[in-house]
Amino acid sequence: MPKLRFVKILVLGSGGREHAICWKLKQSPLLQRLVIAPGNAGTASLGKNSDVNPGDFGAVKKLVLEENIDMVIVGPEDPLVNGIHDFFLDDPDLQGIHVIGPKKEAARLEGSKDFAKDFMNRHHIPTAAHSSFTINTLEEGKAYLETQKSPYVLKADGLAAGKGVLIIHDLQEAKEELSAMLLDAKFGQASTTVVVEEFLSGIELSCFVLTDGDDYKILPFAKDYKRIGEGDTGLNTGGMGAISPVPFVDEAFEEKIRTRIVQPTIEGLKKDGIPYKGFIFIGLIKVDSDPYVIEYNVRLGDPETEVVLPRIKSDLLQLLQSLAEGNLEKESLETDDRFACTVMAVSGGYPGSYEKGKPISGLDKIEDSIVFHAGTRIVEDEIVTNGGRVMAFTSIGVGLNEALSTSYDNLARVQFDGMNYRKDIGFDL
Ligand code: AMP
Ligand code: GLY
């Protein structure tokens, strides 16, 4: 691989996470050119949006060669799980280009919950007890449910767009859902295997790790708010807001996360002979005073990225260059001690059906917040809504309340038809 210095980067994805990545890269003197595929109205102000679907590897290749790209940062999980990194390594024209994100085998940590559970058990990483079932073992699955306590946690093994986890109180209903997942392919291919898991009761947090497969850096911890309704009620969404740091992570708890979870994860990948260059997002739950892994993701989280990256003082591009070259060890990670929060403005009706194309006004009145675009696009010089999650309002403050009140002041300055947001981000802390 060629040595990097000043780089031309392609970011794949179109959400608030990708806008935040671009915003952070843009601060680096090492950035030479920034292309985003497909991007949104926010990324358009930082680089060149290209109307290429990240799932179309042939089109990505064409773009990479046309734009003379040196490094590709993969935002969402799908291209990774589908092997975009392997695609680059297997193609003589693309072999010299660095891909930030794991190869297909390591991406199974997110792409297969069964694989992830086996990995954790093999490396003694604390997680909920589980058993996995297929159509051939449905009856064993039902019998297993009878031995478990309510609530029952049923997870489709594969990617199911964040909808593949069911938490069910009634035993009979749990058995029926298990049948529906295995016999009726409730989640399609994703539920060919179902993981049945012990329910863990506690408070969740997100831990992002940057690794070159040898060394690692733990990025600032964050907590996201997934439910649509205030007080964490109602349907699950892609994320309605996030905060960082997480006040209940003290030094002792952080040390447990490092020694019981992060180190064994990196060591485990090494022992299994699975190279990994990229981000690992570990979804954690604090049960009493101990951390357990709920899930692995092989990318950054959204909207956590919108609070994590603004708290990183170090040059992200420099970190990624060192990561790509296998030299992460020589880098240090400097962070801002202050609080960051982000509040997501969403379309009316989301996470159910919603309309797109609503003009967004008031963005010129923003003061002291950063607006990361998610579902937006430019139509005839006007910024309009283009998704369920529309924009994340990020602010920094000495305390959490200061950060939150800046975000809420700015949310009040922006309008679009049907705009909705949670007024209680951070309510539980
Ligand atoms: P996942 O897609 O694995 O992140 O699961 C979605 C959500 O389900 C998590 O964020 C948790 O809130 C919840 N969840 C998953 N597994 C468990 C578990 N074993 N115990 C309690 N809650 C869980
Ligand atoms: N915020 C959760 C996720 O990105 O999956």
Side-chain angles (χ1 to χ4, degrees), residues 161-172:
K163 295 189 170 67
V165 176
L166 303 177
I167 296 178
I168 301 167
H169 288 267
D170 179 67
L171 175 62
Q172 191 52 35

Side-chain angles (χ1 to χ4, degrees), residues 113 128 153 155 165 167 197-200 204 226 294-295:
K113 295 199 189 283
V153 182
K155 299 186 170 183
V165 176
I167 296 178
E197 202 171 272
E198 164 200 14
F199 180 84
L200 297 176
E204 288 176 63
K226 288 201 178 86
I294 289 278
E295 61 168 353

Side-chain angles (χ1 to χ4, degrees), residues 17 206 224 226 238-239 281 295 297 299-304:
R17 166 181 55 208
S206 304
D224 77 342
K226 288 201 178 86
F281 162 178
E295 61 168 353
N297 298 298
R299 52 172 172 88
L300 287 169
D302 196 347
E304 291 97 323

Side-chain angles (χ1 to χ4, degrees), residues 158-375:
L159 293 184
K163 295 189 170 67
V165 176
L166 303 177
I167 296 178
I168 301 167
H169 288 267
D170 179 67
L171 175 62
Q172 191 52 35
E173 196 187 329
K175 289 182 182 173
E176 283 161 17
E177 287 292 352
L178 182 64
S179 298
M181 288 165 95
L182 292 174
L183 292 180
D184 313 333
K186 177 167 178 155
F187 297 106
Q189 273 288 109
S191 64
T192 311
T193 299
V194 174
V195 173
V196 178
E197 202 171 272
E198 164 200 14
F199 180 84
L200 297 176
S201 181
I203 185 159
E204 288 176 63
L205 69 147
S206 304
C207 168
F208 298 161
V209 180
L210 186 60
T211 183
D212 59 7
D214 245 327
D215 294 291
Y216 65 87
K217 308 279 175 217
I218 300 180
L219 307 188
F221 295 101
K223 181 177 191 310
D224 77 342
Y225 293 81
K226 288 201 178 86
R227 304 295 194 96
I228 186 71
E230 266 136 43
D232 279 337
T233 54
L235 292 174
N236 253 326
T237 71
M240 296 295 290
I243 58 107
S244 176
V246 180
F248 60 82
V249 180
D250 57 16
E251 246 173 68
F253 189 60
E254 183 169 345
E255 193 52 22
K256 288 181 187 171
I257 295 173
R258 179 187 295 280
T259 56
R260 296 182 191 177
I261 291 169
V262 178
Q263 272 170 3
T265 297
I266 304 296
E267 288 302 321
L269 287 166
K270 270 196 260 185
K271 278 186 201 147
D272 291 349
I274 303 177
Y276 199 114
K277 280 189 176 174
F279 295 97
I280 310 179
F281 162 178
I282 313 179
L284 295 171
I285 186 163
K286 184 181 187 210
V287 182
D288 300 324
S289 57
D290 293 318
Y292 289 78
V293 177
I294 289 278
E295 61 168 353
Y296 285 112
N297 298 298
V298 296
R299 52 172 172 88
L300 287 169
D302 196 347
E304 291 97 323
T305 303
E306 291 94 301
V307 290
V308 169
L309 293 186
R311 289 195 56 226
I312 293 178
K313 289 191 196 160
S314 313
D315 183 332
L316 179 65
L317 189 39
Q318 169 134 2
L319 285 165
L320 294 179
Q321 286 208 20
S322 294
L323 177 143
E325 288 161 356
N327 283 326
L328 193 59
E329 187 188 6
K330 74 175 171 62
E331 297 293 337
S332 62
L333 183 79
E334 274 187 66
T335 56
D336 186 331
D337 290 337
R338 292 175 299 168
F339 273 86
C341 74
T342 199
V343 182
M344 191 67 78
V346 304
S347 295
Y350 176 81
S353 61
Y354 54 84
E355 289 173 20
K356 294 182 185 177
K358 308 287 182 197
I360 301 166
S361 64
L363 287 170
D364 53 329
K365 300 194 180 64
I366 296 295
E367 272 173 35
D368 304 323
S369 284
I370 315 161
V371 178
F372 291 121
H373 291 230

